[in-house]
Amino acid sequence: MSYRPADVALAVKRLQYRHHRALNRALAPLGLSLVQWDTLRHLHRQPDASLHDLAVLTFQTDQSFGSLAARMADRSLIERVPGPGRAVKHRLTEKGERLRAAGQDAVDAVFESSFPNLSAAQLDQIGELLDAALGPDPTA
């Protein structure tokens, strides 16, 4: 079968949608949505990230992420601390770190079950092809 770019793009989108639904189900017992867990993951990797940086990393607007961050701070998952000037930085709390780690296990299980029929070499090939198609990250 010959795949057109539109066919590949649709397959990528279908996989992303399937992952999104499965990840929300897997994280629900922890009281987390996918975007909340993703925020915890990014803060684990980038402590003191700004609201804008976290909005970009989680595919949200600054305004919607600001609302999310306030709700997460109210739940003691993250803390908001003053940065230079008017900037606000964000950090994980102990509770947030515990839920991030537990969520990572749930996320890993979802992804492990996504590709049961592919070998390690095939997964590497898909990763390399996607990296080539995407090119360098313009936001980096």
Side-chain angles (χ1 to χ4, degrees):
M1 177 176 188
S2 180
Y3 288 93
R4 297 176 307 135
D7 298 326
V8 175
L10 182 59
V12 168
K13 181 65 178 174
R14 287 177 54 221
L15 179 61
Q16 184 263 340
Y17 181 69
R18 182 182 299 171
H19 280 158
H20 191 94
R21 288 189 344 254
L23 292 167
N24 271 322
R25 281 193 306 271
L27 294 166
L30 299 173
L32 293 173
S33 68
L34 176 54
V35 71
Q36 290 169 332
W37 177 80
D38 198 32
T39 298
L40 299 176
R41 176 176 67 105
H42 285 298
L43 279 175
H44 174 75
R45 292 178 177 176
Q46 297 180 19
D48 294 329
S50 71
L51 184 139
H52 176 74
D53 290 341
L54 290 167
V56 169
L57 290 167
T58 59
F59 305 101
Q60 309 231 4
T61 65
D62 288 0
Q63 182 178 359
S64 62
F65 188 81
S67 296
L68 174 69
R71 290 191 308 273
M72 292 179 73
D74 288 345
R75 291 182 55 201
S76 299
L77 300 175
I78 65 173
E79 60 183 355
R80 302 172 87 181
V81 295
R86 295 182 349 168
V88 175
K89 295 184 177 194
H90 298 80
R91 293 185 187 144
L92 284 176
T93 62
E94 287 184 30
K95 178 181 178 183
E97 177 56 29
R98 282 193 310 275
L99 286 173
R100 183 211 57 83
Q104 184 67 60
D105 293 339
V107 167
D108 289 344
V110 168
F111 290 146
E112 287 292 324
S113 70
S114 291
F115 306 102
N117 300 322
L118 299 180
S119 68
Q122 289 170 319
L123 286 172
D124 286 345
Q125 184 179 23
I126 290 172
E128 290 167 6
L129 290 169
L130 288 170
D131 284 347
L134 292 170
D137 183 354
T139 63

